[in-house]
């Protein structure tokens, strides 16, 4: 008798002890099978009672075993709900969102210095009454050269060696990457009648060695104004006004003769070099590479539209005159921001670009 009740107590105690260390669902189920399953330790004791001859002993043993069974079942469901609670709270802790933590910083972009300059240059001309138009980067030989009075074999073509498109027509290659935005002078005049006041931004391509002021690709703005009685005074006045709007009133400009087959007369406009302040030499006496020691940087070519070109597009050159100009945006960006080498602009180096 004593030994049967003792056995049940021992089973109960060791079961309670083991239950405390069952910390997850599967350990808990294994524990249940071990003690209360069909072949569990306590179940076996209950079964063995049938073989106990003494009725009192059998009854006392049965009662004790049932009490043990109830306690173990109760302890089991208590432990199960604790495990579930812990699991839930750790899931919740893992998913908690602290809205007071700093967010992930998104790097701020900015406009490329050439884009900023392009926009400012166009805005300056728009405020002076010019419209903005665009033309193709892949151009016909006709518009890029022929219609601008630069026939094949003409020495002026040497100024604009370029990249030709691999496309043949009548044994010739008539398409190229445009070398300047000037073809748009023709394209626009073919489509409209005077008065014309237009600026055309765009990329141009030249096959040439790069140096601090030359790149093989560059962006230009072409300008064209055609009307009754437009003179060289209008050209100089408009371009000087433009230079003051972009560089401020203290910047010096200079015009000199230059040759372009599509204007007569032709000229270039220059701005005093920002590196050597127009001296041609640096403070320590070394020659200034940026302006090739001239003290000036050329920013645009210009001139009065050649009368032959006006006639070719059907304008009466006896009545109408006009001026045209083509300026390099990168050069203007160099002058504005004090950049000493044009090649920095397209090197894609963030350490450079972040300074603007
Ligand atoms: N198209 C010329 C160039 O690229 C510049 C220019 C434009 C000159 C218009 C005169 C008139 O060099």
């Amino acid at each position: 008798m004593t030994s049967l009740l003792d056995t049940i107590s021992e089973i109960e105690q060791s079961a309670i002890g083991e239950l405390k260390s069952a910390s997850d669902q599967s350990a808990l189920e294994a524990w249940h099978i071990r003690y209360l399953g069909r072949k569990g330790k306590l179940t076996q004791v209950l079964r063995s009672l049938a073989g106990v001859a003494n009725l009192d002993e059998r009854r006392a043993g049965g009662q004790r075993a049932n009490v043990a069974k109830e306690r173990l079942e109760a302890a089991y469901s208590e432990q199960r709900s604790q495990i579930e609670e812990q699991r839930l709270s750790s899931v919740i802790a893992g998913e908690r969102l602290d809205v007071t933590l700093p967010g992930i910083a998104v790097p701020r972009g900015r406009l490329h210095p050439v884009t900023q300059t392009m926009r400012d240059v166009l805005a300056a001309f728009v405020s002076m009454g010019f419209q903005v138009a665009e033309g193709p980067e892949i151009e016909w030989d006709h518009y890029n050269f022929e219609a601008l009075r630069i026939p094949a074999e003409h020495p002026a073509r040497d100024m604009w060696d370029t990249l030709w498109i691999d496309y043949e027509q009548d044994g010739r290659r008539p398409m190229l990457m445009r070398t300047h935005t000037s073809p748009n002078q023709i394209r626009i005049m073919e489509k409209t009648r005077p008065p014309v006041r237009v600026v055309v931004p765009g990329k141009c391509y030249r096959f040439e060695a790069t140096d601090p002021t030359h790149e093989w690709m560059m962006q230009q703005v072409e300008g064209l104004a055609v009307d009754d009685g437009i003179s060289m005074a209008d050209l100089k006045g408009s371009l000087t006004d433009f230079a003051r709007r972009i560089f401020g009133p203290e910047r010096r400009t200079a015009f000199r003769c230059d040759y372009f087959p599509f204007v007569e007369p032709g000229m270039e406009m220059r701005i005093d070099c920002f590196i050597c302040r127009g001296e041609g030499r640096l403070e320590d006496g070394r020659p200034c590479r940026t302006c090739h020691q001239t003290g000036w940087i050329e920013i645009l070519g210009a001139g009065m539209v050649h009368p032959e070109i006006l006639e070719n597009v059907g304008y009466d050159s006896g009545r109408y005159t006009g001026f045209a100009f083509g300026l390099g945006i990168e050069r203007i960006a160099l002058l504005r921001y004090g950049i000493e080498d044009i090649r920095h602009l397209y090197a894609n180096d963030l350490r450079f670009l972040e300074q603007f």
Side-chain angles (χ1 to χ4, degrees), residues 49-68:
L49 286 172
V52 175
N54 183 306
L55 187 65
D56 285 344
E57 219 174 286
R58 195 156 78 207
R59 189 179 292 139
Q63 278 172 355
R64 180 67 188 86
N66 278 324
V67 167

Side-chain angles (χ1 to χ4, degrees), residues 160 180 182 185 206 220 222 260 262-263 301-302 324-326:
W160 295 287
H180 49 183
S182 299
Q185 292 181 28
R206 293 183 186 186
Q220 286 193 330
E222 191 78 11
F260 301 97
F262 35 95
V263 289
F325 59 88

Side-chain angles (χ1 to χ4, degrees), residues 134-145 162-167 173-181 183-184 187 202-205:
E134 285 187 292
E137 276 177 41
I138 294 177
E139 189 52 280
W140 297 103
D141 183 322
H142 171 77
Y143 284 106
N144 197 82
F145 291 131
T162 189
L163 303 150
W164 293 82
I165 304 297
D166 194 6
Y167 164 73
R173 281 185 304 176
M175 272 184 168
L176 46 79
M177 302 302 291
R178 68 177 174 201
T179 60
H180 49 183
T181 41
N184 295 294
R187 287 180 173 278
K203 296 192 177 92
C204 305
Y205 303 83

Side-chain angles (χ1 to χ4, degrees), residues 89-98:
S89 56
S90 79
V91 166
I92 289 168
E95 286 176 358
R96 183 158 51 211
L97 179 69
D98 184 348

